[in-house]
Amino acid sequence: MCGIAGLIKTSNAVSYTLKNEYRSTTQDLLYSTALRGKHSTGVFIVPWEKSAPTTIIKRAVQASDFLLDPKYKEAVNDFSDVRFYIGHTRYATTGKISEDNAHPFSHGNIVLVHNGSIHNKYELCRLNNSKAKICDVDSESIALALSNNSIEDVIPKIEGAFSLVWYDT
């Protein structure tokens, strides 16, 4: 199974000391979730300004290597604009180990991470009326389904174990 960790800021006012604490805490959280997933690591970072884009960084590496990535370091350099920080470490249960199959998944207005194992990923992909996209990973099928359907339509149709964290941009 996978690991999910996150940070939610309740204020946009952040001191220099607090920025360092946020950076240290998020790195510690991501590193510790590596015990739950060694095949890939990723984060999505939601800014305070709702019109600003959500940052997504993901790689098919362990968290210890991911934390050294220059793109990741740049993204967490300044926490003054961060509203939500969600990290994920993947243990591959379905689908090959690749950057494409790393979390988070983004489809339409949905950015999502998932822990669990879904048995009906193809049905969820069809829920999206997508004939061109075959989901290699069950987690992606949920993001795809949520991008074009209501939560009330999607969640009852999921068969299997799941814990989800997603953001609707």
Side-chain angles (χ1 to χ4, degrees):
M1 293 291 176
C2 305
I4 300 173
L7 175 105
I8 299 171
K9 279 181 34 196
T10 57
S11 170
N12 196 18
V14 179
S15 68
Y16 177 78
T17 303
L18 203 50
K19 286 179 193 179
N20 289 333
E21 287 179 29
Y22 285 147
R23 183 174 29 257
S24 176
T25 299
T26 55
Q27 290 174 349
D28 289 349
L29 285 169
L30 199 56
Y31 187 78
S32 65
T33 63
L35 297 171
R36 305 230 357 122
K38 63 181 181 176
H39 298 126
S40 64
T41 308
V43 298
F44 72 88
I45 301 169
V46 178
W48 274 97
E49 179 57 46
K50 291 186 180 191
S51 63
T54 298
T55 300
I56 298 172
I57 305 164
K58 59 185 191 172
R59 293 194 47 220
V61 297
Q62 292 186 29
S64 56
D65 293 330
F66 182 82
L67 293 170
L68 300 174
D69 184 278
K71 286 183 185 178
Y72 175 78
K73 285 183 170 188
E74 182 181 336
V76 298
N77 185 46
D78 181 8
F79 267 86
S80 62
D81 188 42
V82 173
R83 181 181 297 260
F84 306 117
Y85 168 102
I86 305 297
H88 185 276
T89 53
R90 177 177 184 238
Y91 188 90
T93 56
T94 63
K96 64 183 177 180
I97 298 167
S98 69
E99 192 168 301
D100 286 342
N101 288 346
H103 295 229
F105 288 99
S106 177
H107 285 284
N109 56 318
I110 299 296
V111 182
L112 174 139
V113 297
H114 161 245
N115 177 26
S117 185
I118 305 302
H119 311 298
N120 63 331
K121 67 181 179 180
Y122 298 115
E123 178 186 326
L124 293 173
C125 281
R126 285 192 301 274
L127 192 69
N128 186 45
N129 294 323
S130 175
K131 293 185 173 122
K133 178 69 179 170
I134 300 298
C135 301
D136 193 27
V137 178
D138 52 359
S139 309
E140 183 176 21
S141 69
I142 300 168
L144 203 64
L146 283 172
S147 72
N148 287 327
N149 299 278
S150 72
I151 185 173
E152 294 83 7
D153 288 337
V154 175
I155 298 298
K157 291 181 173 80
I158 299 174
E159 296 174 7
F162 62 94
S163 176
L164 307 171
V165 177
W166 78 90
Y167 179 70
D168 186 333
T169 61

